[in-house]
Amino acid sequence: MRRDLARQFLYDMLLARRFELRAAEEYAQGNIAGFLHLYPGEEAVAVGSLRAADPGDYVVSTYREHVHALVRGTPLGSVMAELFGRTGGCSGGYGGSMHLFDVERRFLGGYAIVGETFPVAAGVGYWLAMNGEPDVVLCYFGDGAVNQGTFHETLNMVALWDLPVVFLCENNHYQIGTEVHRHSAVSHVHRRTGGYGIEAHWVDGMDVRAVHEATRDALRHVREGNGPVLLECETYRYRGHSMADPAAYRSALEVNELRARDPLLTFREWAEGEGWVSATESAELDQAAERAVEEAVAFAAESPPPRDLHAGVHVRPLDLYGGRP
Amino acid sequence: MSQWKKGNDQAGLLAPARPAERLQVWEALNIAHDRVLAEDDAVFVMGEDVGLFGGSYRVTQGLYAKYGAWRVRDTPISENSFTGLGVGAALVGGRPVIELMTVNFALLAMDAIINMAAKMRYMSGGALRVPLVVRTPGGVARQLAAQHSQRLEHLFMNVPGLRVATPATPQDAYWQLRQAVRDDDPILLLEHELLYFREGAFDPEAEAPPMHAARVRREGGHFTLIAYSRMVEVALEAAEELAAEGIEAEVIDLRSLRPIDLVTLQDSVTKTHRALVVEEDCRFGGAGAEIAAALNERSFFELEAPVARVAGADVPTPYNGALEAASIPRPGDVAEAVREWMVG
């Protein structure tokens, strides 16, 4: 492990944690509305995997995607402003929490229908393969998504046509409030790809280093033309499915057990123990993350709300009764 | 006065003023596909049996051999996912043409069409464009029974972000497919299974009217018949029947259901003062309801009678041939409805 990478992992996870906790506060204060699905507990997956990707790779994410966008490099302020529904948001305030997009960083959403990510990733992969491009698509999804038809339909197509896609399952144990063993006949997602001949591995999704290493290998495998790969990153979300969910369906014992393996704390402990980061540096990184989130909130609060219902982005012609272009 | 109303009907299927090459609708679509594939490397065609087999209605015949599997791709039977694949490719530079074998199967792809294709430009604040074309045959064909004989235009007409075109002639099929491929937003082409082997005038070099412009297929001063897709034929036959009785019906081919060219309809009603919409789809909550309501709102003082509708029966399509024929408008039904409203 390199020192700069260790610091990067630590900073990314601190930033992600602080960003999401702050989003929850802003939601409570009424500055963020609608559905808000937060990521605490799952940070190692986004950080470990996205730090293994190249800038040319595409990222297709889900409705729990703030941290994917942040780690990908989307400015913090534009993510927060999107949650606020403001013009400074990465979707101009028209998308909100579940519809973040950042074309410049090849970050393609942001989908609020579970399972939609699969065909989109296949489509980007199709385009890359058709044109002989070296880039790969990283496709994120939760354990709840694997029972959608699109999962199986897409696995079939990407395997059939050998499309450059790495599937990253964030198995956080819950499909909203239904635990994985109650929604899937086979709750080990990586065992469900065998029928399609797709290479798949289980990864400890609470360990940022393990996720990073597995993703690096998967990306190499795909770039070398060996076909798609699926990684099941087993992780845990500390909070409910969304802000509207108090998560009463699980015990405090269970949550506390998993919290003991907190990806952020265990990595910090390890990194400090190995001498990659000093305790002082950890504290400095945390303060820097706190400042960055503070600035993001200030930016969002100052950003004006969008005013134009049509905004010139609606499909033309606007006049449904015969307006001629 | 509509720009395209007068003197622009030469290329129409039913009344070609200038003899041109005559082709069938499927051939016109085939040529359009060939041209768009040749002109732009970003275009690819995808769907069940569009490749090696050449398409259920021969529309993509020969293209697989010419352009290869990556450009003309046979898919598994996975409508929602290969349509969604089209959305993904469209987001990053592709210009996919997705064929859904029938509109009945398009129901399986509604998530990709409605939740994704139609919304991504808007919900990304304009950052994303989805230049996706979805072609799908539909309509009541010949005794295919309820699950293979539907007209579902009402489902797509109500989707912001989507455009819906309904070509009825070889020339329009050619023009509208080419226009759809060039456009940066998602467009649905609703084709009709019974029209693929209809012949009509075809001039590949003729200048196309705007995609959504309606066209007058027959001029007449007494009554306006508004139709689209295969019902244009039915309306024209009814008009001939009525002409024998001295009633001259103007027949308008709407060509597009979202948007609708209300200007052309209003122009016609200003002349005739009476209008009737002919649709194959069910009457309740259908295209005719929108057209009639819009005309009533905008042309109320020109109308001598409420805008009427002749539509398909509100039943799943029966298998039995005689019942099937009775479930969709026939020329006699249209003529009879016109006679009824001409009284007084």
Side-chain angles (χ1 to χ4, degrees):
Chain A
M1 172 126 251
R2 304 191 316 267
R3 180 181 158 76
D4 56 340
L5 197 58
R7 286 173 58 93
Q8 186 74 66
F9 284 171
L10 189 54
Y11 179 71
D12 285 346
M13 289 197 286
L14 288 163
L15 185 70
R17 181 70 56 92
R18 286 206 171 270
F19 185 92
E20 294 290 74
L21 295 181
R22 185 57 187 270
E25 283 171 30
E26 296 299 322
Y27 183 91
Q29 286 175 30
N31 291 324
I32 298 172
F35 285 131
L36 187 70
H37 311 91
L38 300 177
Y39 204 67
E42 304 187 34
E43 293 90 346
V45 184
V47 174
S49 57
L50 286 167
R51 287 292 169 201
D54 287 348
D57 295 331
Y58 286 91
V59 179
V60 180
S61 186
T62 69
Y63 55 83
R64 194 185 301 282
E65 86 283 34
H66 312 161
V67 173
H68 297 118
L70 297 183
V71 181
R72 190 58 178 166
T74 304
L76 228 53
S78 82
V79 178
M80 191 60 91
E82 192 55 40
L83 306 189
F84 274 51
R86 305 296 176 86
T87 48
C90 58
S91 300
Y94 289 84
S97 161
M98 300 185 284
H99 306 300
L100 304 178
F101 300 98
D102 183 350
V103 174
E104 199 187 322
R105 291 171 187 84
R106 301 196 160 191
F107 184 80
L108 299 176
Y111 303 86
I113 311 290
V114 173
E116 275 184 346
T117 42
F118 302 118
V120 172
V124 177
Y126 192 87
W127 178 249
L128 295 173
M130 179 175 154
N131 293 289
E133 305 285 346
D135 310 314
V136 176
V137 187
L138 283 83
C139 175
Y140 292 86
F141 57 100
D143 51 290
V146 303
N147 297 313
Q148 279 284 16
T150 48
F151 176 65
H152 301 277
E153 294 178 358
T154 298
L155 288 189
N156 180 50
M157 290 193 289
V158 295
L160 184 65
W161 305 324
D162 228 355
L163 306 182
V165 183
V166 172
F167 294 94
L168 287 134
C169 178
E170 300 181 318
N171 183 349
N172 66 17
H173 293 207
Y174 286 92
Q175 157 195 302
I176 309 183
T178 307
E179 203 170 355
V180 64
H181 65 84
R182 292 176 59 230
H183 71 62
S184 286
V186 176
S187 34
H188 294 293
V189 173
H190 69 284
R191 284 170 51 197
R192 297 181 67 166
T193 65
Y196 304 102
I198 289 177
E199 186 169 321
H201 303 284
W202 180 90
V203 184
D204 181 356
M206 302 299 264
D207 180 349
V208 66
R209 289 180 298 141
V211 175
H212 186 256
E213 201 172 306
T215 312
R216 203 188 47 205
D217 292 348
L219 285 165
R220 188 188 303 127
H221 178 94
V222 174
R223 271 191 245 280
E224 285 170 358
N226 304 309
V229 177
L230 181 143
L231 300 178
E232 175 187 5
C233 303
E234 192 170 340
T235 178
Y236 198 77
R237 67 168 148 77
Y238 296 162
R239 308 179 67 97
H241 172 71
S242 70
M243 288 298 287
D245 169 21
Y249 42 79
R250 57 190 192 186
S251 67
L253 186 70
E254 175 185 312
V255 179
N256 290 336
E257 251 176 49
L258 267 297
R259 273 183 179 273
R261 299 184 49 226
D262 185 281
L264 211 171
L265 299 180
T266 51
F267 179 74
R268 185 162 67 187
E269 208 175 344
W270 177 85
E272 286 177 7
E274 293 288 309
W276 295 115
V277 187
S278 72
T280 317
E281 281 171 326
S282 287
E284 281 168 6
L285 289 173
D286 194 28
Q287 283 158 12
E290 193 178 5
R291 278 196 304 276
V293 171
E294 207 59 49
E295 282 164 21
V297 172
F299 174 82
E302 281 162 27
S303 177
R307 302 239 175 255
D308 186 352
L309 185 57
H310 297 283
V313 299
H314 203 289
V315 173
R316 43 187 185 90
L318 273 172
D319 183 356
L320 285 168
Y321 297 104
R324 298 205 158 88
Chain B
M1 176 60 70
S2 161
Q3 178 192 352
W4 290 98
K5 189 175 168 188
K6 281 200 163 174
N8 276 292
D9 203 36
Q10 289 87 350
L13 166 65
L14 301 142
R18 171 165 59 90
E21 191 185 351
R22 292 184 70 79
L23 286 182
Q24 296 183 346
V25 169
W26 75 268
E27 294 172 299
L29 284 167
N30 187 254
I31 294 168
H33 274 101
D34 190 12
R35 290 209 169 183
V36 294
L37 281 160
E39 284 163 2
D40 187 350
D41 288 343
V43 176
F44 65 92
V45 181
M46 188 171 251
E48 291 145 357
D49 277 347
V50 300
L52 191 60
F53 185 86
S56 306
Y57 297 98
R58 302 171 70 181
V59 166
T60 49
Q61 192 171 277
L63 301 175
Y64 178 78
K66 191 167 173 183
Y67 296 99
W70 281 102
R71 308 281 311 278
V72 186
R73 177 65 79 178
D74 283 318
T75 64
I77 299 175
S78 306
E79 286 86 359
N80 197 29
S81 291
F82 70 69
T83 307
L85 187 157
V87 172
L91 293 179
V92 293
R95 303 192 88 83
V97 178
I98 303 288
E99 180 184 289
L100 291 161
M101 194 178 268
T102 80
V103 75
N104 311 283
F105 310 159
L107 290 175
L108 294 153
M110 290 298 244
D111 180 59
I113 296 170
I114 297 178
N115 279 327
M116 295 161 75
K119 294 185 172 47
M120 298 203 57
R121 181 176 170 190
Y122 192 79
M123 70 187 189
S124 67
L128 297 170
R129 301 297 288 264
V130 186
L132 174 77
V133 181
V134 175
R135 293 183 36 248
T136 185
V140 174
R142 297 227 194 285
Q143 291 193 256
L144 303 178
Q147 288 192 333
H148 268 66
S149 269
Q150 296 185 81
R151 310 116 298 175
L152 300 171
E153 45 269 29
H154 59 281
L155 296 180
F156 301 104
M157 281 180 72
N158 192 244
V159 181
L162 201 60
R163 278 196 280 163
V164 181
T166 53
T169 68
Q171 189 71 58
D172 279 343
Y174 174 82
W175 276 338
Q176 289 182 314
L177 175 56
R178 298 203 58 187
Q179 287 169 320
V181 170
R182 272 199 298 271
D183 201 278
D184 284 338
D185 291 311
I187 291 173
L188 186 65
L189 289 187
L190 293 179
E191 298 160 6
H192 199 292
E193 290 165 29
L194 289 185
L195 293 180
Y196 283 120
F197 301 100
R198 291 286 196 282
E199 195 180 85
F202 178 74
D203 178 359
E205 308 311 329
E207 196 196 333
M211 185 177 214
H212 65 286
R215 312 192 78 201
V216 176
R217 298 295 185 195
R218 183 191 193 282
E219 303 233 8
H222 297 141
F223 212 102
T224 299
L225 294 178
I226 302 160
Y228 57 90
S229 193
R230 196 180 87 78
M231 287 299 112
V232 176
E233 277 186 355
V234 171
L236 283 164
E237 276 186 50
E240 289 307 311
E241 197 178 317
L242 291 164
E245 302 162 22
I247 301 171
E248 291 298 333
E250 182 142 290
V251 177
I252 296 176
D253 178 355
L254 209 49
R255 296 177 76 244
S256 166
L257 290 174
R258 186 186 175 90
I260 59 171
D261 181 1
L262 194 64
V263 181
T264 296
L265 304 186
Q266 284 182 280
D267 288 345
S268 182
V269 167
T270 301
K271 187 168 70 175
T272 65
H273 310 294
R274 287 178 170 88
L276 181 146
V277 187
V278 189
E279 62 183 324
E280 194 177 319
D281 206 348
C282 302
R283 177 191 179 92
F284 193 89
E290 176 56 49
I291 296 161
L295 263 181
N296 281 330
E297 281 169 353
R298 307 256 185 125
S299 294
F300 183 73
F301 295 106
E302 295 293 342
L303 289 164
E304 286 173 9
V307 178
R309 288 179 281 160
V310 170
D314 280 278
V315 292
T317 307
Y319 166 68
N320 175 275
L323 285 182
E324 181 190 63
S327 76
I328 50 172
R330 290 168 289 200
D333 305 325
V334 177
E336 189 50 37
V338 170
R339 285 185 204 106
E340 214 170 283
W341 285 103
M342 286 302 288
V343 175

